[in-house]
């Protein structure tokens, strides 16, 4: 089981910004991290090796909108139908290659924190296609998709959102589906090991 904690010191936040830049190629400002909720995950035997993390900000300082003019920001907010202060933004996410149970632990914590923020709208975004496809299963409303300069890099950005109860329902449904898939694969491997080497018989007691 993974351990998790919130980063609070300037040194830790600077380390997170550098780690995220190395993994994504996109930079994030220290001032944004200082005004946000930054959570990391690690194993008990290696507390200084962060293997997953994300940033949540519900103060209206939307990082995803920073590249836009005031007019464009107003248009996007009008498209969603809320004020910036009504949005919880989740981003700067990274997850190393982990066992399914570890990966799901990160998702569960992220989902619960987003839901219990009590913000009516949850906003997400990514530049990696695989992450975009996965996140849009829980945040299905496309806000925009375009090439833009973001974090000092030209990226193909995709941003999407969900309403609070919709997000929870979709997230739980997705986790249940993935847990079923994991359980099915575990059982198949166990059955293969159990019946392996037993010849062609359908039952191990039959010779």
């Amino acid at each position: 089981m993974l351990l998790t904690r919130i980063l609070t010191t300037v040194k830790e936040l600077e380390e997170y910004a550098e780690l995220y830049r190395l993994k994504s190629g996109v930079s994030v400002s220290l001032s944004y991290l200082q005004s946000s909720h930054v959570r990391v995950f690690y194993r008990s035997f290696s507390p200084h090796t962060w293997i997953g993390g994300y940033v949540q900000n519900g103060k209206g300082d939307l990082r995803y909108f920073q590249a836009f003019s005031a007019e464009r920001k107003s248009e996007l907010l009008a498209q969603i139908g809320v004020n910036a202060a009504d949005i919880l933004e989740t981003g700067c996410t990274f997850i190393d290659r982990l066992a399914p149970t570890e990966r799901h632990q990160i998702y569960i914590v992220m989902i619960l924190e987003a839901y219990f923020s009590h913000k009516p709208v949850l906003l997400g975004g990514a530049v990696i296609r695989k992450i975009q496809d996965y996140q849009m299963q829980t945040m299905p409303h496309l806000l925009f998709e375009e090439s833009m300069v973001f974090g000092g890099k030209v990226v193909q950005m995709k941003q999407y959102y969900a309403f609070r109860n919709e997000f929870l329902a979709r997230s739980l449904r997705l986790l249940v589906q993935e847990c079923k898939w994991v359980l099915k694969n575990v059982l198949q491997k166990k059955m293969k090991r159990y019946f392996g080497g037993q010849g062609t018989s359908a039952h191990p007691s039959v010779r």
Side-chain angles (χ1 to χ4, degrees):
M1 185 173 181
L2 300 181
L3 299 179
T4 182
R5 66 185 180 89
I6 304 297
L7 302 185
T8 57
T9 69
V10 170
K11 183 176 183 297
E12 289 176 334
L13 295 175
E14 287 176 338
E15 290 175 358
Y16 189 93
E18 177 61 14
L19 181 61
Y20 180 69
R21 186 191 65 80
L22 291 174
K23 291 180 177 294
S24 68
V26 176
S27 62
V28 56
S29 69
L30 176 61
S31 61
Y32 178 79
L33 295 181
Q34 287 177 311
S35 67
S36 303
H37 175 88
V38 184
R39 179 177 291 279
V40 295
F41 295 81
Y42 55 93
R43 296 188 175 96
S44 59
F45 56 82
S46 187
H48 301 297
T49 302
W50 302 335
I51 57 178
Y54 58 83
V55 178
Q56 291 181 332
N57 186 303
K59 297 181 179 179
D61 179 25
L62 300 175
R63 177 172 175 262
Y64 290 140
F65 289 6
Q66 289 176 355
F68 298 138
S69 66
E71 182 180 3
R72 181 72 190 284
K73 292 177 185 177
S74 297
E75 290 174 354
L76 292 172
L77 290 172
Q79 184 177 334
I80 302 173
V82 297
N83 297 317
D86 295 323
I87 296 174
L88 179 76
E89 179 181 58
T90 299
C92 302
T93 303
F94 76 91
I95 300 176
D96 290 350
R97 293 183 65 87
L98 303 174
T101 52
E102 293 177 323
R103 187 175 67 250
H104 290 158
Q105 182 183 343
I106 295 176
Y107 287 138
I108 288 171
V109 175
M110 184 189 301
I111 290 165
L112 291 177
E113 284 200 304
Y115 182 77
F116 286 111
S117 73
H118 297 289
K119 296 287 184 177
V121 173
L122 306 173
L123 177 69
V127 297
I128 300 172
R129 178 64 181 271
K130 186 175 181 180
I131 295 177
Q132 293 171 347
D133 293 343
Y134 187 87
Q135 290 185 339
M136 282 201 73
Q137 294 182 70
T138 61
M139 291 177 275
H141 307 292
L142 180 64
L143 186 59
F144 70 83
E145 180 178 9
E146 61 187 66
S147 178
M148 58 186 291
V149 178
F150 185 75
K153 181 180 179 181
V154 177
V155 298
Q156 187 66 26
M157 173 63 74
K158 198 170 188 176
Q159 293 183 8
Y160 28 78
Y161 65 95
F163 298 99
R164 181 169 177 257
N165 290 334
E166 171 188 46
F167 172 77
L168 180 64
R170 283 178 164 269
S171 297
L172 293 178
R173 189 182 308 125
L174 179 61
L175 284 174
V176 168
Q177 291 173 349
E178 290 199 344
C179 287
K180 286 182 178 179
W181 180 85
V182 170
L183 180 60
K184 178 182 177 181
N185 278 270
V186 169
L187 290 175
Q188 286 178 338
K189 290 179 181 179
K190 287 184 177 295
M191 292 293 286
K192 186 176 181 180
R193 286 199 298 268
Y194 180 70
F195 289 110
Q198 299 291 339
T200 59
S201 171
H203 192 281
S205 64
V206 180
R207 296 286 186 253

